[in-house]
């Protein structure tokens, strides 16, 4: 049996050696007296050459891009070397070749860069994945998974698989439901996470659990969110917040060192949730650049400008070199903040030590001095104000901050800023349902000593929860869990669950806690988002082999799709879709 070598491993030291290689044809060049073929496999590119003296020269003329071929040939030194290729010093003179498979003209360019639309790339994903940069991302993902396994194995964690067919419970997003054929009229749910199972594993005495697991959420999609995603799921008995910080920081430092040869500074900084929201307008702040939110509510109360004087909150950001923006561009920014419910956007330009703009006349020199000093604005800055409720002001300016940083290229390249966001609210108030809901999930422990507040002071309670943020993306989140059945039941009651609902949905959990439960904490890291940042792409679809569109469709497999009436009948489910 012939031994085949990969394209990228052939070097000048192999001159004179007969080798066998196979792969896809990346490019052909017929110079009349010679045919050159670039052969591609996942390792790289290798140049082949065949002359008219070859018996199958005429057949070689028929070879086109993306044909699959195998060849046997002699390694020779190239007369015209290509320093851009690892194999650029040599080429292979073909002795024998075989066309394994022919290929039609592809609907997209198979190269590092392609001009194909996203829809085309997803419809012909198997072709898109032939592109070297797409393959390198998946290979890096494989390497990261290996690092995770090795690291956690060394920390004595046990990998345990948990069920995919699970129980529908109110944990946040909508569940994907699976009807049962055997138990007609009843449904499984695909897991949003293995949350309940990993807590039960702590009660089982496993002490340290992990799993790289597929999860499912039926929610609105965006560039960093898919309906099915992969997370690193971790739970540890007798662990505190500090234990989880140290574990995850060491793991992420190992990943960045081994994949990018970058030394990540530890420990990671910590920021309270309230600080993050008030200073950056986001619970996942990007700290690679400044341009923080400046609160001038108090100093504008007496201003001769009612929009500011009467507003609940007035905040602004100082955009470096933003004074160069035209009136048209600023008007576009006004429309941008309206997406986030802001009523408008006021502005001032700081030029030649003077604040100028439509609202400048409403402020005294003392008030203008406050604007400059509080933001430490440099000459040429643009000051952008929002006056509204605290939530709207923070969100609108927080989003505008990110938008302008990207537009004006204020974010330093190749920088990685990690951050723990801590001291989260335990509850959020749902105005539509007129009740409190769990800010993370109902298994999150409240700050120690505040359990008594569950019945009366819920809006003031803080959670023992923590999110890990990288470059403005939440790449993970976790918490110390409730382990006492009385506290857990009180938590369920605090979010409006009746006795019957508690027993129906979580009776098994409360009973499990009654047999003895260790304290425990956990976290889940989003592998897809982490890989998006590691590979420097802006879209999560670039690091997932077979992703969905923003409308949750698989264009390649054409799913979701209709099923037969017979299948629905077996499941006791009626189709609601009109034909």
């Amino acid at each position: 049996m012939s031994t085949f070598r990969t394209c990228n491993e052939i070097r000048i030291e192999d001159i004179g050696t007969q080798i066998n290689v196979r792969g896809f044809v990346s490019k052909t060049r017929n110079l009349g007296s010679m045919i050159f073929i670039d052969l591609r496999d996942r390792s790289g590119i290798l140049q082949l050459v065949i002359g008219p003296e070859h018996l199958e020269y005429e057949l070689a003329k028929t070879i086109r891009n993306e044909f699959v071929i195998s060849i046997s040939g002699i390694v020779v030194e190239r007369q015209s070397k290509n320093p851009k290729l690892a194999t650029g010093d040599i080429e292979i003179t073909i002795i024998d070749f075989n066309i394994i498979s022919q290929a039609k003209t592809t609907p997209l360019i198979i190269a590092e860069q392609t001009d194909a639309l996203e829809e085309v790339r997803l419809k012909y994903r198997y072709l898109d994945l032939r592109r070297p940069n797409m393959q390198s991302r998946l290979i890096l993902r494989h390497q990261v998974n290996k690092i995770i396994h090795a690291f956690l194995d060394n920390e004595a964690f046990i990998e345990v698989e948990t069920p995919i067919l699970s129980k529908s419970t109110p944990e946040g997003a909508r569940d994907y439901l699976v009807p049962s054929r055997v138990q007609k009229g009843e449904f499984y749910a695909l897991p949003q996470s293995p949350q309940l199972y990993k807590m039960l594993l702590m009660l089982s005495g496993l002490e340290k659990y992990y799993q790289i697991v597929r999860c499912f959420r039926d929610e609105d999609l965006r560039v960093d969110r898919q309906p099915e995603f992969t997370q690193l799921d971790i739970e540890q008995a007798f662990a505190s917040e500090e234990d989880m910080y140290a574990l995850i920081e060491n793991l992420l430092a190992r990943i960045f060192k081994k994949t990018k040869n970058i030394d990540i500074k530890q420990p990671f900084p910590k920021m309270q949730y309230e600080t993050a929201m008030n200073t950056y307008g986001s619970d996942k702040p990007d700290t690679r650049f400044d341009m923080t939110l400046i609160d001038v509510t108090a100093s504008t109360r007496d201003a001769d400008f009612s929009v500011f004087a009467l507003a609940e909150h007035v905040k602004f950001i100082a955009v470096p070199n933003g004074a160069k923006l035209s009136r048209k561009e600023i008007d576009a920014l006004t429309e941008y903040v309206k997406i986030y419910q802001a009523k408008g956007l006021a502005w001032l330009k700081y030029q030649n030590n003077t604040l100028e703009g439509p609202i400048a006349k409403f402020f005294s020199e003392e008030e203008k001095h406050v604007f400059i000093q509080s933001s430490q604005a440099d000459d040429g800055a643009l000051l952008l104000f929002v006056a509204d409720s605290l939530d709207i002001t923070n969100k609108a300016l927080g989003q505008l901050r990110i938008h302008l940083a990207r537009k004006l290229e204020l974010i330093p390249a190749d920088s990685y800023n990690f951050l723990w966001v801590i001291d989260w609210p335990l509850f959020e108030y749902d105005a539509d349902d007129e009740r409190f809901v769990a800010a993370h999930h109902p298994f999150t422990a409240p700050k120690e000593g505040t359990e008594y507040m569950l019945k009366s002071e819920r809006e003031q309670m803080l959670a023992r929860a923590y999110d890990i943020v990288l470059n403005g993306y939440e790449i993970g989140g976790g918490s110390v869990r409730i382990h006492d059945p009385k506290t857990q039941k009180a938590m369920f009651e605090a979010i409006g669950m009746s006795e019957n609902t508690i027993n129906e949905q979580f009776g098994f959990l409360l009973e499990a806690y009654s047999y003895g439960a260790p304290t425990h904490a956990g976290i889940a890291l989003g592998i897809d988002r982490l890989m998006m940042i590691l590979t420097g792409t802006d879209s999560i679809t670039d690091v997932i082999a077979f992703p969905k569109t923003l409308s949750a469709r698989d264009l390649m497999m054409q799913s979701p799709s209709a099923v037969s009436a017979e299948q629905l009948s077996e499941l006791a489910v009626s189709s609601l879709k009109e034909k």
Side-chain angles (χ1 to χ4, degrees), residues 163-174:
I164 293 296
L165 297 177
S166 185
K167 179 182 177 68
S168 179
T169 56
E171 295 176 35
R174 288 182 295 273

Side-chain angles (χ1 to χ4, degrees), residues 30-190:
N30 189 340
L31 303 185
S33 60
M34 205 74 70
I35 296 174
F36 292 93
I37 300 169
D38 285 353
L39 188 70
R40 182 191 72 243
D41 63 15
R42 81 177 191 202
S43 71
I45 297 284
L46 180 63
Q47 181 168 286
L48 316 177
V49 60
I50 185 170
E53 73 282 356
H54 198 287
L55 291 175
E56 295 184 304
Y57 180 73
E58 292 300 318
L59 179 61
K61 289 181 178 180
T62 68
I63 294 175
R64 297 289 182 268
N65 289 3
E66 301 311 311
F67 275 35
V68 181
I69 65 172
S70 66
I71 72 103
S72 177
I74 302 295
V75 182
V76 299
E77 187 171 2
R78 284 176 66 162
Q79 293 182 355
S80 178
K81 293 182 170 57
N82 184 351
K84 295 181 180 180
L85 290 179
T87 58
D89 291 337
I90 54 92
E91 61 191 15
I92 310 301
T93 300
I94 294 175
I95 297 174
D96 187 32
F97 75 89
N98 176 42
I99 297 176
I100 296 173
S101 177
Q102 297 183 6
K104 299 189 298 183
T105 300
T106 58
L108 70 156
I109 298 170
I110 311 297
E112 288 283 345
Q113 302 298 324
T114 182
D115 58 358
L117 297 175
E118 181 80 1
E119 291 79 7
V120 175
R121 290 180 57 203
L122 292 178
K123 181 176 181 180
Y124 299 96
R125 188 61 166 185
Y126 45 87
L127 297 179
D128 194 41
L129 290 177
R130 292 184 190 178
R131 296 167 55 220
N133 54 346
M134 293 297 293
Q135 292 190 349
S136 67
R137 290 167 184 153
L138 294 183
I139 292 169
L140 180 62
R141 183 171 179 142
H142 159 72
Q143 293 168 347
V144 168
N145 284 351
K146 286 178 62 179
I147 294 168
I148 291 170
H149 284 294
F151 175 87
L152 292 174
D153 182 63
N154 190 59
E155 295 289 331
F157 279 80
I158 305 299
E159 184 178 14
V160 182
E161 293 179 345
T162 53
I164 293 296
L165 297 177
S166 185
K167 179 182 177 68
S168 179
T169 56
E171 295 176 35
R174 288 182 295 273
D175 289 322
Y176 279 102
L177 300 177
V178 180
S180 170
R181 179 186 60 82
V182 178
Q183 309 295 334
K184 295 194 185 307
E186 297 183 342
F187 293 80
Y188 299 104
L190 302 182

Side-chain angles (χ1 to χ4, degrees), residues 11 17 53 60 93 168 174 230 261 276 326 342 395 470 495 512 561 566:
R11 293 293 185 271
T17 305
E53 73 282 356
T93 300
S168 179
R174 288 182 295 273
T230 304
N261 197 29
S326 67
K395 187 169 185 179
L470 172 57
I495 58 175
S561 58
E566 289 78 11

Side-chain angles (χ1 to χ4, degrees), residues 140-431:
L140 180 62
R141 183 171 179 142
H142 159 72
Q143 293 168 347
V144 168
N145 284 351
K146 286 178 62 179
I147 294 168
I148 291 170
H149 284 294
F151 175 87
L152 292 174
D153 182 63
N154 190 59
E155 295 289 331
F157 279 80
I158 305 299
E159 184 178 14
V160 182
E161 293 179 345
T162 53
I164 293 296
L165 297 177
S166 185
K167 179 182 177 68
S168 179
T169 56
E171 295 176 35
R174 288 182 295 273
D175 289 322
Y176 279 102
L177 300 177
V178 180
S180 170
R181 179 186 60 82
V182 178
Q183 309 295 334
K184 295 194 185 307
E186 297 183 342
F187 293 80
Y188 299 104
L190 302 182
Q192 295 184 30
S193 80
Q195 184 63 51
L196 289 167
Y197 289 110
K198 66 180 180 179
M199 289 161 44
L200 291 168
L201 285 170
M202 296 303 99
L203 274 63
S204 305
L206 264 292
E207 296 185 357
K208 290 185 173 184
Y209 144 91
Y210 86 99
Q211 184 181 189
I212 297 177
V213 62
R214 205 73 164 157
C215 301
F216 309 85
R217 291 181 186 173
D218 186 5
E219 57 188 350
D220 294 335
L221 305 184
R222 56 192 186 206
V223 293
D224 66 338
R225 180 187 288 168
Q226 282 276 298
E228 50 182 318
F229 57 95
T230 304
Q231 69 183 35
L232 168 60
D233 206 47
I234 294 176
E235 199 79 6
Q236 182 174 345
F238 309 111
S240 66
E241 293 93 329
E242 295 299 327
D243 294 324
M244 299 309 297
Y245 299 155
L247 177 74
I248 297 305
E249 288 182 20
N250 289 337
L251 171 59
L252 289 169
R254 179 77 58 86
I255 289 171
F256 272 77
K257 182 63 176 177
K258 283 187 169 291
T259 61
K260 302 185 81 68
N261 197 29
I262 293 175
D263 293 310
I264 298 297
K265 185 179 179 180
Q266 296 174 254
F268 297 169
K270 298 178 181 64
M271 184 182 294
Q272 292 182 315
Y273 168 84
E274 187 174 358
T275 301
M277 293 302 298
N278 286 329
T279 307
Y280 293 92
S282 172
D283 57 14
K284 43 184 181 295
D286 191 336
T287 58
R288 290 175 294 173
F289 60 99
D290 293 324
M291 210 158 68
T292 55
L293 280 59
I294 310 297
D295 193 330
V296 288
T297 306
S299 57
T300 57
R301 276 288 171 253
D302 298 325
D304 189 24
F305 187 44
S306 60
V307 173
F308 282 13
L310 301 177
E312 182 181 331
H313 279 271
V314 181
K315 290 188 175 186
F316 75 94
I317 56 174
V319 185
N321 299 315
K324 66 184 180 182
L325 294 179
S326 67
R327 182 62 181 266
K328 182 178 180 181
E329 289 174 307
I330 295 174
D331 288 344
L333 298 179
T334 301
E335 295 305 309
Y336 182 82
V337 297
K338 288 180 180 179
I339 298 172
Y340 304 98
Q341 299 181 302
K343 298 180 183 68
L345 188 69
W347 57 272
L348 293 168
K349 290 184 177 183
Y350 183 48
Q351 299 178 108
N352 301 319
N353 295 318
T354 303
L355 281 174
E356 304 170 344
I359 63 171
K361 61 186 178 183
F362 297 113
F363 301 103
S364 67
E365 290 305 313
E366 182 180 349
E367 288 165 338
K368 292 176 183 177
H369 181 72
V370 170
F371 298 158
I372 300 304
Q373 289 300 110
S374 61
S375 63
Q376 296 183 337
D378 293 326
D379 195 67
L382 173 67
L383 279 54
L384 297 170
F385 297 80
V386 171
D388 216 304
S389 68
L390 181 60
D391 287 346
I392 290 176
T393 301
N394 282 344
K395 187 169 185 179
L397 281 177
Q399 292 294 328
L400 184 62
R401 172 181 180 267
I402 297 294
H403 174 72
L404 283 169
R406 291 171 177 164
K407 175 183 176 68
L408 301 176
E409 299 182 346
L410 302 177
I411 303 174
D414 299 322
S415 58
Y416 300 94
N417 280 28
F418 288 93
L419 175 73
W420 288 104
V421 177
I422 61 173
D423 290 344
W424 288 74
L426 186 63
F427 297 100
E428 296 173 342
Y429 187 74
D430 188 322

Side-chain angles (χ1 to χ4, degrees), residues 484-507:
D484 172 60
K486 291 182 180 178
T487 304
Q488 184 63 79
K489 186 177 181 183
M491 181 68 176
F492 290 146
E493 292 171 343
I495 58 175
M497 295 179 69
S498 67
E499 184 85 16
N500 286 340
T501 302
I502 293 171
N503 290 331
E504 179 183 334
Q505 295 189 334
F506 296 110

Side-chain angles (χ1 to χ4, degrees), residues 534-546:
L534 277 171
T535 58
T537 181
D538 294 327
S539 175
I540 205 169
T541 61
D542 286 338
V543 296
I544 298 173
F546 299 103

